[in-house]
Amino acid sequence: MRRRTFIHRYRHQYLMLLPGLVLGGMFVFYPIVAAVFFAMQDWSGFNADKVFVGFANFTRLMSDPFFWAAFSRSLVFLLGTVPIQMILGLVLAVILNDRLLKLSNLFRTFIFLPVVTPVAVIGIVWTFMLSPFNGPINGFLLDIGLIARPVDFLGSSDTVMPSVIGVYVWKWLGITVIYWLAALQTVPSDVYEAARLDNCKGARLIWYVILPIVAPFAVMILLISAVAALNVFPLIMSMTNGGPFFASEVMEIFVYRKAFATGDGSIPELGYAAAAGVFFGLVVLALTLLQAVIARRTRRGQTA
Amino acid sequence: MSITRMRGLSRRHFLQSSTAGAAALGLGAGFGLGPAMAQGIPAAINDIASGASLRWIDSGDQKAVFYRQFFAEYAQARGVEIIYDPLPWNEIAQVVPLGVRNDTAHDVFALPQNINPADAVAQDWVQPYDDFIPDIEAWKAGFPQGAFLPGINEFDGKTYGLPFTSNKRYGTHLLFNRAYMEAAGYAPEDQPLTWSGFRDAARKITEAGAGRYYGFIIGGSQLGRWAQTVRNMGRMAGASAGGDSVVEADIDFRTGEYVFDSDEYIGAVELLIAMQADGSIFPGVMSMNAPQARAFMPQGAAGMILQGPWNIGGWEGEHPDYDFGVASGPVPDEGPTGKLTIGQGALAPNTMFMYKNSPNGAIVGDIFHYLGTLEGQTAWANIVGAGDPPIFPEALEHADMSDRSKFALNMFNEQIRVGPNPVVGNSDIAQVIGAFQAPEVNFARTVQGLVAGELTGVREQMSALKDRYNAALDAAFAEAGAAGAQVDRSDLVFSNWNPDVDFGASDY
């Protein structure tokens, strides 16, 4: 009776929640379940010949050097992008947070503008920018005499990952700055006054005053940036297609290549690709859960 | 020559009269015959319901020029709607299978490149069209020998797939900037470049360019370009290998063995590496695909490209002031030039199939029928030309083509031979092809890796490549055998094959 009464009392609220639940079920829950199901099949994805193989795909995955190489590159990408975003974002945020700074809003806009530009457009434009033939970056480097021959940034395994990392940081730096700006709003103004009285400014201000206060947010921003850095399919696909010779093949590209075997003479292996996707998804999920745990602790700390 | 010109003049006069006649009949400004269509749309061979909607998907390129024009006129003539989707191969690889799985496939589609016709038939992707072309045997008799082959486009006596364009073409012949080439001292149209000449010309063009243009360009991020380049250079240097599928393209049918470790293939890879070391290869090839590389040529960024005849019509139409030449791919420095081998007369990627559940068989049959007549073939040749040659040789005689296109087609006929097709010899081989999983580091990736410097030791790498392919092929045979196929690697051996002559039906 009590349960029935509760449901009845909030029946309108539940009815309002139903569309969201249905959509979530269709586009989030079902694909997750389907992916796990496919991960246990030996299946090309495009015919009726499905064979249940249990965890064989995962077992194979563990001994696949190409999978681990792609996984490693994803980690390299993460380690290459997140620290730069964090540090550079914090510095820019502190600078832009100075209310006395002229035109700070204009600079904020310029920094944030790449964030709202579609990734595919960014990829195409930067491919042109980095081109060794008529690309402005190579043109500039040649003009100042720093290099004698154009550098194929995206076509060399030595330079492709740094190049893609650089473009990624440039694109998403703005949102990191926004996160930091939000965090900086929690620093009381009297702290700045006290610091000024003590002649504490610049790097010392950031390190000794601001950073301890915003440290809890730093962890949050770190994890958000880390999860985002593990989802870079459109940028790398539009710039390098995972090449040259696997040099920029991160996990999403590996999954895509295995799933669709686009024109290289291989047979699509959707089941195996699903296994790779599930495994990688679990890694990202672990990071997300870690984020949630830390968020909870942060709130508890604030309450105390 | 004068007769051809007279005929051309007559055709133009006919078109003018027809157009005037149409106007006189008050059919409206929207009606008209296309400039390259011989006689417009012929009468329908089937009863076609007005208002039907047909969807067609293929890989586009120059084909799209014809289809857009043809479909517009056809739709108007028949009172139907035709939705045409020209897409890149990597998108076809997704769109077609997903459409089949979800029962939303186009009515007519080209098969993804990793799906063979036997698999498509076995998996119920496609249906035959015998019921939609009256007296189909008489119609098929109009095609050249080898156009319809059991296991290729005939299964259980039924006809699947329309083989309307010729496979006698190759995608690694030379297209060059004539001004740059002349300055380098070569005339490839008169004397095909040898391997050393190819390298020397590239170097000289690069030196002349001084950073503004380079000797050679290739769409290096499109992996298949590396494989095709080495394969065809190796074949022309004497490594006899034949066939069209990934399984057999690098197998010598006289021995049934892969030729990856042959001196010819190794030499071709070494040549590309040497040119890279020379600095003659356009910087940036590793991150550009074939269409991007192609686009740079008319801009003067490179002097040479090894691509196919589909460029001819495109460049002539879009860059009329671009003075380019067409010539053979590089030939060996010594000894005779080997022939290139194809496995069937029709170009497999262009073969169109009807979806299993398409309700528009009458329309499909009507279109297929037209494309398989001299009239349709000539209309095709007029627009597409050498890019995708019509399968009817007679159509080439009637078509309006540029000198470059004619040169290319004559060159193809001279250099290309039809070789054995293992599927024709034993239809169960199709199951082996369907089971074949290329190694992770396949032929294309190996060549790319070697040229890019990611891999070293050409001979060692090519030998290891052969081992990987042998293992993959043995696994495919084992899998097919386990599934009931009666196959053996000896099915890939045709001891009576002579690479210099066509392998006919009687040779099997």
Side-chain angles (χ1 to χ4, degrees), chain B residues 345-365:
Chain B
L347 184 65
N350 280 354
T351 301
M352 305 305 298
F353 290 83
M354 178 161 56
Y355 175 49
K356 174 72 173 182
N357 294 328
S358 169
N360 293 315
I363 303 175
V364 175

Side-chain angles (χ1 to χ4, degrees), chain B residues 159-205:
Chain B
T159 310
Y160 296 78
L162 174 69
F164 70 104
T165 65
S166 173
N167 199 16
K168 282 206 168 183
R169 64 166 198 178
Y170 65 101
T172 59
H173 66 80
L174 183 68
L175 297 114
F176 59 94
N177 184 305
R178 203 187 299 274
Y180 296 168
M181 189 64 73
E182 289 177 354
Y186 289 92
E189 289 160 314
D190 301 324
Q191 184 66 40
L193 293 179
T194 61
W195 284 22
S196 59
F198 182 54
R199 180 181 180 185
D200 185 61
R203 184 167 52 229
K204 287 178 176 174
I205 292 171

Side-chain angles (χ1 to χ4, degrees), chain A residues 38 43 45-49 64 66 127 132-133 149-150 152 154-157 239 241 244-246 249 254 256-258 260-270, chain B residues 90 93-94 97-98 101 113-114 123 125 211-214 221 246 279 281-287 296 301 434-438 440-442 445-446 448-449 454-455:
Chain A
F38 294 154
W43 186 37
F46 306 126
N47 55 37
D49 295 338
D64 185 346
F66 295 95
T127 300
F133 185 78
R149 194 169 187 274
D152 189 1
L154 300 179
S156 166
S157 63
M239 293 187 74
N241 200 28
F245 197 74
F246 303 107
E249 183 175 86
F254 174 85
Y256 179 86
R257 180 169 63 83
K258 282 297 182 180
F260 295 108
T262 52
D264 67 351
S266 303
I267 299 173
E269 296 182 285
L270 189 66
Chain B
N90 61 341
Q94 299 173 63
L98 291 175
R101 189 173 73 176
Q113 291 179 320
N114 52 19
Q123 299 297 336
W125 285 31
R212 290 174 292 115
Y213 52 85
Y214 294 81
S221 78
V246 67
I281 298 181
F282 183 90
V285 295
M286 293 300 174
S287 56
F296 271 118
F436 183 79
Q437 179 69 283
E440 196 92 19
V441 183
N442 56 25
R445 287 187 186 276
T446 298
Q448 186 202 51
E454 307 301 323
L455 300 174

Side-chain angles (χ1 to χ4, degrees), chain B residues 45-46 129-142 369:
Chain B
I45 64 168
N46 296 321
Y129 54 92
D130 301 70
D131 294 339
F132 301 109
I133 294 183
D135 198 6
I136 191 170
E137 293 303 325
W139 174 77
K140 290 167 67 174
H369 178 270

Side-chain angles (χ1 to χ4, degrees), chain A residues 65 102 109 196 225 239 251 263:
Chain A
K102 301 295 185 182
T109 302
R196 187 175 68 254
S225 299
M239 293 187 74
M251 272 304 302

